[in-house]
Structure formats: structure tokens, C-alpha cells
Amino acid sequence: MADLIIMSARATEEEVEKVVSLIKELGFQVHVSRGQEKVLIGLIGDTRGVSDEMFRMMPGVLEVINILKEYKLVSREFQAEDTRVSVGKVVVGGKNFVVIAGPCSVEEETGLLKTAEKIVRAGGKILRGGAYKPRTSPYSFDGLGREGLRILQQVTTSLGIPVVTEVMAPEEVDEVAAVADMLQIGARNMFNYRLLQRVGRSGKPVLLKRGFEAKLKEFLNSAEYILKEGNKQVVLCERGIRTFDDEFTRNTLDLAAVAVLKKETHLPVIVDPSHGTGRRDLILPMAQAALAAGADGIMVEVHPQPEKAFSDGFQSLRVEEFETLMAKLRPLAEVMGRIL
Ligand code: PEP
Ligand code: MN
């Protein structure tokens, strides 16, 4: 991207002319302003996609300045009003504060059905559960795969609620999309651009989690990849980032990111306090904080017996704890003018 090219006033006419004609060749209008010390050359138009490097290398050029943001479709400048993402009958965005809940991994049908029933009764709107699990160690349980998807389908059709589940590879998108109402892109895949493009063409809403090493600009660019393919149904999820301090929490939950993202983009933003902290006892305060910070919802891990969970038991709420969480969020939602 290049919006403004600064040349030395000592640049020759010929050097300036070379820059001007390159800009014209690229299809932009040019605005040249000659000062005592500098020559300023502006490109008029949408310059995303114009490499600044070719200008930087030209004789007489001192600096190339980018004014436009790298991302466009996701930005508030492009669309002022909030995007509403429909997941089955549930709308994420707008006044709703949507609670997504369920186990980290899908383990077996009966337990999941019972847990999901209680989640729905307590006010959870979307079920979560991984069939394909990205695990840090290749020896850890990595999900039931197809059988997990079958279980999710059974449970959600019998309860009539939508489900979000992770997809890890472009070639698995069709299989997962056949069951899921929303496709989850995990933190580890936020930089997997081929996968982002593929879910951008899936016709399904996408829950995009922030990479634990990702800057917000990179996060927004990842969302841009999905929108660029024609899919505007994207929800962003802050799930904690890696910082120097991991003594008490698994990640550092970046709640300021929520407030920043709500300004930068029209897409809904939710928070995952389970992965964000790695601790069951911190889910409630961080969920309250997320609501207060302006998030459009939360995603929490809930398990009937966390001590026996195949993954992430230590950051999963027991069912009763989930009910307490919902009860405690309710008055706060009212104060914040949100519908829980
Ligand atoms: C998850 O939500 O199941 C998960 C694996 O989270 P993350 O990608 O944020 O680590
Ligand atoms: Mn998990």
C-alpha cells in the first residue's frame, strides 16, 4: 500500500516524472505538491494492493506513507452500523449478549445431551464442542472426528439449538459445515490464510478466534480474508494472548481488545474467558468484565464432570456453576442494556 510518496526537493524532474508515470500506469490519479524541501506525491484512489516497495526503491524517493488501513471490508469506516450474524435462529450482534457454552471436546452422546439441555434451560443460546481438536501435543486426545460430528448433530437437532464447532483444514470444511451452524477457526489457525479463504466460501457463519500471538491488526486482516471471499457473517473472539506472565493464568485476557475492536470494526466481538484465563474460578469475573467492556457475548466451557474431561477440565464450569454464572450476568446485562 502506498498513499503518499515523499521525494527530495533535489530530485530531478526526470525522477519525479518516473514516479508520476508509474502511478498513472497503475491506474491512479496523481497530486503533486512541490515544497522548499520536499516534493509530495499523492495517489488518489484505493491503494490497497499497491506495493510500496517499488516506490521506495526509486531514485529521489525518501519515504512512502500509508494512510489507508490494510483492511477495508471489516472496518467501521466502510460500514458504520453493527453487523448481525445469524447462527440458526440466534442473532449475534446488536443488543443481544449471546452465551455459547459446552464442553471443550465432544466425548459421548448421553452426557452431552444432558449438559446441553441444562445449558439451554439456563439461557445458553449456542452449543459448543470440538470434534476436531487442535492440540499442542500430538499425543493428546484430538477429538472424536466424524463420530463427534454425528453426536453434535444428534444433540442439536433434538434440542433445536445451533452448534459451533472447529474446522482445522480446508479439506474438512464441507464435512464440518454439513453439521455445524457456525464454523470455528481456532487460535492456532488464525494465520492459516487458505483455511480462512475456504470458510469465506462456505456460506456458513464463522467464529474467528484471535491467535495467542496475534496483534489486533493481524486479527482484523484475518477477518478481512473471510469477508473478501464474500462471507460477511464473522464473529471475532478474544481468547487471551501470550504474555510474559503465565504464573497465575494460562493466557492474558485482553479486554481492551474488545473496546478497540468495537471501534475498529462493525463485526460482533465475543470473549472466551475459559481459554482466556485457563481457570474455572476466573470465568465469572472475566465474563462480567467482558459484558461491561461491550462484548456481544461469551463462549465458555462447561462439563458435567470437569475432573474427568478429555481436555480443558480445569477451565470448564460445572453445570451448576454455569447456572450461577447466568444468574449473575442477568442483572448486569440489564444495566448494560443488553438482552441475555
Ligand atoms: C476451543 O475453543 O476449543 C479452542 C481450542 O480454543 P483456542 O483455539 O482459542 O485455543
Ligand atoms: Mn478447550
Side-chain angles (χ1 to χ4, degrees):
M1 199 171 15
D3 295 294
L4 184 64
I5 291 152
I6 303 176
M7 298 185 74
S8 155
R10 270 180 269 135
T12 64
E13 257 327 298
E14 202 188 344
E15 284 167 347
V16 173
E17 193 41 48
K18 274 202 175 134
V19 170
V20 168
S21 47
L22 175 57
I23 294 171
K24 285 184 182 160
E25 247 171 66
L26 292 169
F28 293 92
Q29 287 183 298
V30 194
H31 182 268
V32 182
S33 124
R34 286 170 200 275
Q36 292 275 314
E37 295 180 29
K38 304 269 159 68
V39 180
L40 306 183
I41 306 178
L43 283 77
I44 302 164
D46 188 341
T47 56
R48 293 178 189 88
V50 176
S51 149
D52 48 7
E53 279 162 38
M54 55 185 169
F55 289 108
R56 273 184 218 286
M57 289 183 300
M58 295 175 81
V61 171
L62 299 174
E63 221 180 315
V64 180
I65 293 176
N66 300 322
I67 299 167
L68 282 183
K69 288 177 174 149
E70 289 165 5
Y71 46 86
K72 172 181 175 180
L73 304 173
V74 301
S75 73
R76 275 265 185 224
E77 285 156 31
F78 185 74
Q79 180 190 309
E81 66 278 9
D82 288 337
T83 285
R84 286 166 171 74
V85 175
S86 296
V87 186
K89 280 177 277 175
V90 179
V91 176
V92 188
K95 286 238 176 288
N96 291 340
F97 186 79
V98 174
V99 176
I100 305 173
C104 179
S105 309
V106 176
E107 297 171 6
E108 52 82 34
E109 196 170 328
T110 321
L112 182 62
L113 180 62
K114 278 194 196 145
T115 306
E117 272 169 351
K118 290 179 188 155
I119 286 172
V120 172
R121 217 172 299 141
K125 293 284 191 295
I126 301 174
L127 183 70
R128 65 145 288 145
Y132 290 105
K133 296 298 302 175
R135 301 308 300 275
T136 302
S137 161
Y139 300 104
S140 298
F141 170 69
D142 66 349
L144 296 181
R146 258 185 211 166
E147 171 63 3
L149 291 178
R150 189 198 63 77
I151 294 174
L152 280 178
Q153 184 146 43
Q154 284 293 326
V155 170
T156 52
T157 42
S158 74
L159 290 178
I161 55 157
V163 63
V164 57
T165 194
E166 180 159 355
V167 60
M168 289 171 56
E171 61 276 16
E172 287 164 2
V173 169
D174 287 334
E175 183 196 345
V176 178
V179 169
D181 298 281
M182 182 179 222
L183 299 172
Q184 178 172 324
I185 300 294
R188 291 159 188 79
N189 269 320
M190 193 212 82
F191 287 105
N192 187 339
Y193 300 125
R194 287 284 175 267
L195 180 61
L196 298 174
Q197 287 169 327
R198 183 63 189 80
V199 298
R201 294 191 294 269
S202 68
K204 288 276 173 179
V206 176
L207 178 63
L208 177 63
K209 299 192 86 176
R210 179 183 182 182
F212 39 68
E213 73 285 49
K215 294 184 179 196
L216 291 178
K217 203 159 126 184
E218 294 166 326
F219 192 18
L220 288 162
N221 270 313
S222 288
E224 184 84 9
Y225 264 93
I226 302 171
L227 269 75
K228 191 164 177 280
E229 295 302 314
N231 187 354
K232 275 189 63 182
Q233 297 280 287
V234 176
V235 175
L236 303 176
C237 180
E238 161 60 35
R239 49 78 73 212
I241 50 172
R242 195 169 270 176
T243 65
F244 60 89
D245 195 352
D246 59 2
E247 237 165 315
F248 294 101
T249 53
R250 181 177 178 184
N251 290 293
T252 298
L253 187 62
D254 183 7
L255 284 173
V258 175
V260 171
L261 290 169
K262 291 298 293 178
K263 288 192 176 198
E264 279 297 305
T265 175
H266 51 82
L267 298 173
V269 181
I270 70 164
V271 169
D272 174 350
S274 287
H275 293 88
T277 63
R279 284 173 55 165
R280 180 181 309 129
D281 61 327
L282 297 184
I283 294 176
L284 171 63
M286 291 303 98
Q288 290 171 316
L291 175 52
D296 298 297
I298 49 171
M299 177 154 91
V300 289
E301 290 183 330
V302 178
H303 195 282
Q305 287 175 292
E307 45 294 319
K308 292 194 179 156
F310 291 0
S311 58
D312 286 354
F314 43 86
Q315 60 183 40
S316 301
L317 292 177
R318 296 184 178 84
V319 177
E320 317 79 68
E321 289 166 331
F322 178 71
E323 290 161 352
T324 307
L325 169 85
M326 293 302 286
K328 296 223 161 140
L329 287 178
R330 226 158 237 125
L332 184 58
E334 209 171 305
V335 172
M336 296 298 297
R338 308 300 296 251
I339 303 158
L340 184 64

